[in-house]
Amino acid sequence: MRPIQPVYISGTGAFLPGEPIPNDQMEAYIGLVHGRPSSVGRRVLRWNGIETRHYALDRDGLPNHSNAGLAAEAARQAADNAGADLFELEHLAAATTQGDLLVPGHAAQLHAELGCGPLEIASFQSVCGSALMSAKSGFQAVRTGEARQACASASELSSRWFRPEFFEGADLTGRKGNVVLEAEYLRWTLSDGGGAIWMTDAPKRDGISLRIDWIDIVSLAHQFDPCMWAGARMSDRHDLLRSWSFLGPQAAFQTGAIALQQDFTLLKSIIRAWVGVYLKKVDEGRIDPASIDHLLVHYSAKSLREEIIRLLEDTGGMIDEARWFNNLRTVGNTGSASIWIMLNALLNERPVKPGERLLAVVPESGRGLVGFMQMTAVGPDGE
Amino acid sequence: MASIETLSQSADAQSLQVQSVLRKLAIAWTEFEARLETTPLIRKLNRGQLTIEEYQAFLLNLRQQVVEGACWISRAASNISEDYFELRSTLMQHAQTEHRDYQMLEADFVAAGGELQAIRSARKNIGSEALSAWMYQQASKPNPFSMIGAMWIIEGLGSQKARDWGKAALKQLDLPEEAARFLLYHGENDLEHMEEFQEMLTLMPLDEALIEDIVMCARVTGRLYALQLEEITNA
């Protein structure tokens, strides 16, 4: 499909609050539930392979940024990086898993933080995949000529959800008196950060821009129950009439409906489904593995890597491992923000040359979704 | 005489075809697996709502399909010509390892509180009838190479689903391990899955038409298997 108006990523931004926090200091920030160290933390860290991450909290667990604030830092950086003026922005799309307020949408908070405008806004609430939803919104706005400059942000402030207040007094206790693994796992996996891309109808005047070839998002929610969720108890998550607002906030908290949770058994099927969607794109010729020079995959499970690589090799879907780029080990898993934080690091750390092709893959366990974004690096002349 | 170069080119072409069929089968598998999630019985199992009666019905219905498994593989083996002797031998080994599996299901059924006579005398449900008829029809063709697609689906159930299903059923119904040995045993024994299929694929005359047949056979088998599960809660 040839774009009506070519769209270029002319700037990227990434904001990671505070210092990198090593594994042995995590609980100083996210706190001790019932005053006791977690018994599963080490196991989860071995599984996800993360060594340092950032929190928008101080050592007493007090916040030093809002979620919208993290997004704003990244958006300003993306504008600077593009050599653009915030006040020329016409379309602002914001992605997050859970915004600072329940209402109104996250993009309104981000817009207020940035202070530019008036302009068009769009809020995207999902999990990791929301990043590509907001990117697609900006991409479409520029592609159709409705905006000349668009910014898509993705940000997460997960750490506040992992503080003891979210667990103590809630029915989330397992057999040995610990927090159930479904909830504890995410405490040891997710952390804070913001990322953004700046999209324009022309490449920037110096350096490399990325032309967006296409963005495809595939949801499989018609087939799967929620796999990563908040707002319902595990046993009720398929029945929306028993979700948190119907119970009322207090009862919902007590029954354990508020915490973020993950279903590991279902996750295995969903991971295979992601690979299936990818292989279908390969089979149909939408993705040509041999043509990809830089692959960015948002994944957090180090231990799944081998299994997936084996399957990709057997099925002709493998992209040479030397072309993979991933920085989750050092910056943490920042959910929706990860893909832009990764893209920003790639452009800073690797020499990306005109003509090279980039593929971003963003799986979301939420209710089964995977998104892809293919880009081609271009110089100032658009080639 | 073929030069070394053309030999290696044809080896490359074969490996590309093996990759292509495995890719299409992997896609067929994930689409089938997602469909399974939407069948009422598996939904209840995954949501922790399965009743003991439904679990018994699950075993009882599975038994009627599994009892045929070794038979259709044997029939397929008997229709493989001498030119593909090694493939025939692989299929015969498969039939041999599976031909007592249905007895394990009977024992599980009894351990879950069912009557032996009931599981032995039950009829196939509509989906199992359709699945079985399809398998025998495919297996009865000369050189039924496309059956590897059906085996891919049935073996995938063993390696990817059985163990989780068994563990979930035991947990929510508070049953002893003896009531899910068939499901638990399969999860443990089918891990070499992919290598075996790669091996079998190199033993057959793969071309575009055969690849299409293999994938279609996998998709039909998956659809009929899901129908079999749908019919359990429809009875």
Side-chain angles (χ1 to χ4, degrees):
Chain A
M1 183 173 40
R2 182 151 181 83
I4 301 161
Q5 157 67 53
V7 181
Y8 304 89
I9 297 176
S10 50
T12 57
F15 182 72
L16 294 159
E19 296 299 310
I21 309 298
N23 291 349
D24 60 1
Q25 287 177 40
M26 288 172 75
E27 283 184 317
Y29 294 82
I30 57 173
L32 301 170
V33 180
H34 300 301
R36 290 200 313 230
S38 163
S39 58
V40 300
R42 276 166 183 274
R43 184 148 56 102
V44 176
L45 290 167
R46 263 201 308 277
W47 200 72
N48 65 30
I50 296 171
E51 289 168 12
T52 51
R53 77 284 295 140
H54 295 254
Y55 290 128
L57 305 172
D58 65 18
R59 284 190 76 95
D60 298 317
L62 295 171
N64 45 38
H65 291 85
S66 64
N67 185 342
L70 296 174
E73 293 279 0
R76 285 193 195 100
Q77 223 188 83
D80 275 354
N81 187 228
D85 184 344
L86 264 185
F87 284 82
E88 290 168 4
L89 186 64
E90 291 169 294
H91 181 97
L92 175 65
T96 190
T97 304
Q98 311 201 69
D100 296 296
L101 299 184
L102 292 175
V103 179
H106 190 50
Q109 265 64 254
L110 170 58
H111 180 202
E113 285 281 331
L114 290 175
C116 57
L119 49 73
E120 181 172 65
I121 61 170
S123 295
F124 291 90
Q125 187 268 317
S126 199
V127 200
C128 308
S130 59
L132 289 187
M133 298 176 196
S134 76
K136 188 144 188 175
S137 176
F139 173 54
Q140 300 284 35
V142 177
R143 193 158 82 118
T144 54
E146 293 214 358
R148 297 194 63 191
Q149 304 202 47
C151 176
S153 78
S155 58
E156 305 287 1
L157 210 164
S158 310
S159 58
R160 68 207 148 127
W161 287 79
F162 302 145
R163 296 283 307 159
E165 308 85 77
F166 275 79
F167 302 93
E168 292 169 354
D171 183 14
L172 287 166
T173 308
R175 267 184 237 161
K176 293 177 192 157
N178 304 313
V179 175
V180 292
L181 188 62
E182 284 80 6
E184 187 76 292
Y185 166 78
L186 293 170
R187 290 186 78 224
W188 294 88
T189 299
L190 299 175
S191 55
D192 308 337
I197 54 172
W198 194 272
M199 288 168 276
T200 47
D201 60 359
K204 62 176 165 185
R205 286 193 200 94
D206 53 356
I208 290 287
S209 300
L210 303 174
R211 191 183 66 227
I212 300 177
D213 299 329
W214 47 260
I215 300 172
D216 288 356
I217 299 169
V218 181
S219 167
L220 303 168
H222 63 310
Q223 292 173 311
F224 293 109
D225 273 343
C227 181
M228 178 179 159
W229 74 97
R233 289 192 300 180
M234 185 159 182
S235 56
D236 290 337
R237 70 198 139 118
H238 57 274
D239 182 359
L240 297 183
L241 298 183
R242 299 176 65 83
S243 61
W244 76 274
S245 62
F246 293 100
L247 300 172
Q250 213 163 353
F253 171 72
Q254 285 162 357
T255 57
I258 299 299
L260 265 177
Q261 298 189 60
Q262 177 96 67
D263 178 335
F264 299 98
T265 307
L266 182 54
L267 184 59
K268 287 192 280 182
S269 303
I270 288 187
I271 290 171
R272 288 193 287 266
W274 291 334
V275 177
V277 173
Y278 168 77
L279 289 176
K280 201 167 180 178
K281 299 263 173 214
V282 172
D283 205 57
E284 292 166 350
R286 181 71 152 167
I287 294 172
D288 172 11
S291 77
I292 305 299
D293 299 293
H294 305 279
L295 172 71
L296 302 114
V297 194
H298 169 86
Y299 71 93
S300 58
K302 194 177 72 171
S303 59
L304 287 172
R305 194 180 159 103
E306 264 180 58
E307 193 184 323
I308 292 176
I309 288 177
R310 174 77 204 278
L311 178 65
L312 294 179
E313 283 173 348
D314 288 342
T315 55
M318 186 62 183
I319 293 168
D320 183 1
E321 249 191 295
R323 297 175 177 190
W324 292 37
F325 184 86
N326 187 303
N327 62 358
L328 262 60
R329 186 175 63 81
T330 53
V331 303
N333 182 343
T334 54
S336 63
S338 284
I339 199 70
W340 306 143
I341 292 175
M342 237 185 275
L343 182 62
N344 185 71
L346 172 86
L347 293 170
N348 287 331
E349 292 169 26
R350 277 195 190 177
V352 174
K353 295 188 279 295
E356 287 188 333
R357 191 173 271 182
L358 295 80
L359 178 69
V361 182
V362 185
E364 164 173 312
S365 65
R367 200 159 180 164
L369 175 145
V370 57
F372 307 89
M373 178 172 179
Q374 188 180 290
M375 297 153 276
T376 302
V378 297
D381 58 354
E383 297 299 326
Chain B
M1 208 174 102
S3 70
I4 291 174
E5 202 171 293
T6 46
L7 275 178
S8 84
Q9 273 171 356
S10 75
D12 282 354
Q14 191 197 28
S15 84
L16 281 178
Q17 271 172 328
V18 170
Q19 281 182 353
S20 164
V21 69
L22 285 174
R23 178 168 67 246
K24 290 173 201 292
L25 285 173
I27 296 165
W29 167 263
T30 55
E31 289 177 350
F32 166 63
E33 189 179 14
R35 182 189 274 274
L36 284 177
E37 291 285 324
T38 67
T39 62
L41 186 99
I42 299 303
R43 272 251 133 108
K44 290 188 103 173
L45 179 66
N46 287 342
R47 288 172 179 176
Q49 299 168 333
L50 199 73
T51 64
I52 183 70
E53 291 78 16
E54 285 163 335
Y55 181 58
Q56 288 173 356
F58 181 38
L59 298 178
L60 178 141
N61 282 275
L62 272 187
R63 186 255 182 216
Q64 317 316 325
Q65 169 230 319
V66 170
V67 73
E68 303 287 356
C71 304
W72 61 255
I73 299 179
S74 304
R75 182 175 301 183
S78 73
N79 280 314
I80 302 264
S81 66
E82 216 177 303
D83 300 342
Y84 304 99
F85 175 82
E86 282 179 54
L87 187 62
R88 187 202 285 170
S89 149
T90 307
L91 291 181
M92 284 161 72
Q93 282 163 22
H94 260 265
Q96 163 74 18
T97 52
E98 285 180 21
H99 88 293
R100 285 179 207 281
D101 279 2
Y102 77 96
Q103 294 169 357
M104 209 187 290
L105 270 165
E106 292 178 354
D108 291 352
F109 182 74
V110 172
E115 293 284 338
L116 187 58
Q117 196 45 36
I119 191 167
R120 283 194 176 159
S121 60
R123 279 206 63 136
K124 290 186 180 70
N125 75 33
I126 292 170
S128 318
E129 286 286 2
L131 180 60
S132 176
W134 161 254
M135 295 295 211
Y136 282 113
Q137 184 263 352
Q138 290 287 298
S140 303
K141 297 195 291 192
N143 282 327
F145 301 127
S146 60
M147 288 301 286
I148 197 172
M151 292 172 70
W152 174 266
I153 293 291
I154 302 292
E155 301 252 325
L157 285 158
S159 62
Q160 316 267 29
K161 306 309 293 181
R163 196 170 172 77
D164 285 341
W165 285 350
K167 285 200 310 201
L170 294 186
K171 191 176 164 202
Q172 60 197 267
L173 297 170
D174 205 15
L175 288 168
E177 258 191 38
E178 293 74 60
R181 283 191 315 133
F182 173 80
L183 292 170
L184 299 177
Y185 156 90
H186 268 90
E188 273 173 12
N189 285 275
D190 285 344
L191 291 169
E192 299 306 316
H193 194 53
M194 197 66 137
E195 274 170 33
E196 223 177 308
F197 274 93
Q198 273 169 319
E199 177 71 31
M200 280 195 277
L201 286 166
T202 58
L203 299 176
M204 53 181 75
L206 274 186
D207 59 17
E208 286 303 315
L210 178 54
I211 290 175
E212 225 174 88
D213 286 350
I214 290 171
V215 175
M216 182 52 91
C217 183
R219 295 180 63 205
V220 172
T221 304
R223 182 64 194 96
L224 296 178
Y225 189 93
L227 184 65
Q228 165 177 271
L229 292 187
E230 285 160 23
E231 286 299 320
I232 297 175
T233 38
N234 241 356

